[in-house]
Amino acid sequence: MKKNASPYYLKSIFLFIVLCFCENVIAQYQQIPQSRSPFWQNVQFGGGLGLSIGSGYTEISVAPSAIYNINPYLATGLGLQASYVSSKNNYNSGIYGASILTFINPIPEIQFSINLNESYVTNHYEAFYGQNGYTDQFWNTALFLGAGYRTGNVTIGLAYNVLYKENDNVYSDPLMPFVRAYF
């Protein structure tokens, strides 16, 4: 063996030992992927977005929500809502609120719903009230009982507001069609 070859030979052995040691250390410290907790496996997120624009009319709404599936037949959750409606030179309205949601699925294709909604409403009327207009602010409670056809994550149906009052200036009709999706 040549006199110069010995340090390369020793370096190669040293490098080989270090790599073997590092590989064992790395293998011991590899993390096992953590599965989601049972709670989060039963949580679904969904909600709705709305936009309507027409001749002098604008309506924008956002309604996120989350539900917890207690079992295949029952889910409960919370929702938020915010909406703005404007009719040029007539009125504008802002509605902000929260909901408690309950969904009952007696069979996979049918869903009954209970939606208790508390909203803060600000209506500003310009027409019929002169230059400064008139502003009306109040709280509104609605209790929607609904039924719908469910396919996958989407439910299409109709809900009825059992607390509807004709002069409450929030909902124009006690019946409300809906499309709901949770993922």
Side-chain angles (χ1 to χ4, degrees):
M1 199 188 284
K2 294 183 183 177
K3 198 173 189 181
N4 314 12
S6 161
Y8 293 113
Y9 176 71
L10 290 175
K11 287 181 185 178
S12 299
I13 291 174
F14 178 75
L15 183 60
F16 177 75
I17 291 170
V18 169
L19 287 175
C20 288
F21 177 74
C22 288
E23 184 178 322
N24 288 336
V25 170
I26 291 170
Q28 290 176 7
Y29 287 99
Q30 287 182 348
Q31 292 188 6
I32 298 170
Q34 298 292 324
S35 63
R36 290 172 48 176
S37 74
F39 175 82
W40 289 109
Q41 289 177 352
N42 293 325
V43 173
Q44 290 182 287
F45 297 96
L49 296 171
L51 176 65
S52 178
I53 298 174
S55 178
Y57 179 83
T58 303
E59 181 177 359
I60 302 168
S61 64
V62 178
S65 60
I67 60 169
Y68 179 80
N69 293 294
I70 296 168
N71 58 44
Y73 307 104
L74 181 64
T76 187
L78 299 172
L80 297 173
Q81 77 171 49
S83 66
Y84 174 77
V85 178
S86 175
S87 179
K88 189 174 183 180
N89 298 324
N90 287 321
Y91 71 92
N92 60 52
S93 176
I95 302 173
Y96 313 96
S99 299
I100 298 173
L101 310 166
T102 301
F103 301 132
I104 302 163
N105 305 299
I107 60 174
E109 295 82 15
I110 301 296
Q111 184 176 84
F112 297 112
S113 60
I114 303 168
N115 178 354
L116 179 62
N117 186 318
E118 185 68 27
S119 301
Y120 183 72
V121 181
T122 301
N123 292 330
H124 179 75
Y125 304 94
E126 295 171 14
F128 311 116
Y129 290 101
Q131 186 176 8
N132 294 331
Y134 168 74
T135 300
D136 187 19
Q137 298 175 333
F138 58 93
W139 287 93
N140 180 270
T141 303
L143 178 59
F144 290 98
L145 302 179
Y149 174 74
R150 188 172 87 156
T151 177
N153 295 334
V154 178
T155 305
I156 299 169
L158 190 63
Y160 181 79
N161 182 1
V162 297
L163 301 178
Y164 174 77
K165 295 176 186 166
E166 193 169 330
N167 298 328
D168 71 2
N169 295 323
V170 178
Y171 302 103
S172 61
D173 193 272
L175 286 173
M176 181 179 295
F178 66 84
V179 177
R180 209 174 11 240
Y182 284 95
F183 302 96

